[in-house]
Amino acid sequence: MSYSDYIDWKGWEENAFGTCDAYSQAYFDGEIGPYIRKASTTPASLVEIGFGNGSLLGWCRSRAIDVIGSEIQSALQERARRAGFPVVDDLSEIAAETADVVVALDVFEHIPYDDLVALCRDIHRILKPEGHLIARFPNGDSPFSMVFQNGDPTHVHALGVYKLRRLMSATGLRLELLKAPCERRLSLKGRLFLPVRRLMRAMFSAFVRYAFLEGDTPTTFTMNYVLVASRPAVPS
């Protein structure tokens, strides 16, 4: 699938490259921040796969995190380089066991399964022992994810829990968590309504479990999954 008009379709303006708005800062603080704090070194080392218009790169810079970006679109690579971010064409350019955290947000759904296996093996190679992979993608177990999964012609497959377990097993990564994305509400109204949303989701999940799926109910029915995996420590 061609990415020739992808940047325009996404509305990514070059003058906004690397900016991180208040909502994104809060999201990254909640989703990625805990794993940065677990890093084995200071500053922590993060590799982002598919950095798009650089929001996470900008967050890393603001948090004094050593970051390297990987992106298939040459125009975005050039934007990152002009903004002073280090960029690689391929993870093979990154030394083994050097990354505390690898992040792939809205990337896995673009990659055919066999290529995704190869990518995750590369991720395993560059992660430090007990380093973490954080990936976000449309929830292949949820009927509510279809607006995301089918809304982009470059998406090639859906990822559900059983496929993800196989993927992790095939690549030596340890699946730690499969969950809904962190939710951050900046307005007072949003913060007040969030517990109500969570209660409604829990009630819906319980209904589906008992009415249809029993023990096979997905962890969450939200539009996106967040996968957290790690590279197991080398046995002593």
Side-chain angles (χ1 to χ4, degrees):
M1 179 61 65
S2 172
Y3 285 85
S4 60
D5 64 344
Y6 200 78
I7 294 173
D8 290 337
W9 179 61
K10 284 288 191 179
W12 289 336
E13 300 291 341
E14 182 168 4
N15 59 11
F17 188 90
T19 60
C20 187
D21 61 24
Y23 174 82
S24 296
Q25 290 178 29
Y27 175 73
F28 296 147
D29 285 342
E31 200 77 89
I32 300 168
Y35 301 97
I36 294 296
R37 291 190 286 274
K38 294 179 182 180
S40 61
T41 58
T42 302
S45 172
L46 183 148
V47 174
E48 183 181 14
I49 301 169
F51 53 74
N53 215 36
S55 179
L56 179 58
L57 299 181
W59 177 82
C60 288
R61 176 175 283 173
S62 72
R63 300 297 190 269
I65 298 165
D66 285 342
V67 63
I68 298 174
S70 173
E71 172 61 56
I72 65 170
Q73 297 186 71
S74 59
L76 295 175
Q77 291 178 1
E78 288 306 310
R79 289 184 184 183
R81 291 189 177 103
R82 284 195 290 271
F85 294 104
V87 176
V88 297
D89 292 318
D90 189 87
L91 296 189
S92 63
E93 300 175 45
I94 299 175
E97 299 186 11
T98 56
D100 291 297
V101 179
V102 175
V103 178
L105 301 179
D106 311 321
V107 170
F108 281 11
E109 64 271 25
H110 296 263
I111 303 172
Y113 184 80
D114 288 346
D115 294 335
L116 190 54
V117 169
L119 175 65
C120 286
R121 286 175 176 159
D122 266 342
I123 291 170
H124 180 280
R125 182 186 63 80
I126 68 174
L127 276 174
K128 298 175 183 178
E130 298 300 333
H132 287 87
L133 162 66
I134 303 167
R136 185 182 67 200
F137 41 83
N139 180 352
D141 295 324
S142 172
F144 305 118
S145 73
M146 292 300 100
V147 64
F148 286 169
Q149 182 62 42
N150 298 329
D152 187 332
T154 63
H155 291 179
V156 297
H157 65 142
L159 291 159
V161 61
Y162 297 114
K163 188 184 292 186
L164 292 164
R165 287 174 181 168
R166 180 182 177 186
L167 176 65
M168 296 295 99
S169 175
T171 57
L173 293 167
R174 176 177 59 207
L175 178 61
E176 292 191 356
L177 194 60
L178 194 61
K179 67 180 187 72
C182 286
E183 291 187 274
R184 292 291 184 267
R185 294 292 182 267
L186 303 183
S187 69
L188 176 61
K189 180 179 178 181
R191 292 196 298 271
L192 291 174
F193 189 58
L194 188 55
V196 177
R197 289 165 60 94
R198 289 172 175 161
L199 175 61
M200 293 171 66
R201 291 172 187 164
M203 294 172 62
F204 177 81
S205 182
F207 167 75
V208 173
R209 178 181 298 112
Y210 291 113
F212 298 104
L213 298 178
E214 297 182 356
D216 292 327
T217 310
T219 303
T220 176
F221 285 99
T222 53
M223 290 181 172
N224 284 316
Y225 262 145
V226 169
L227 174 146
V228 179
S230 62
R231 174 177 173 166
V234 177
S236 58

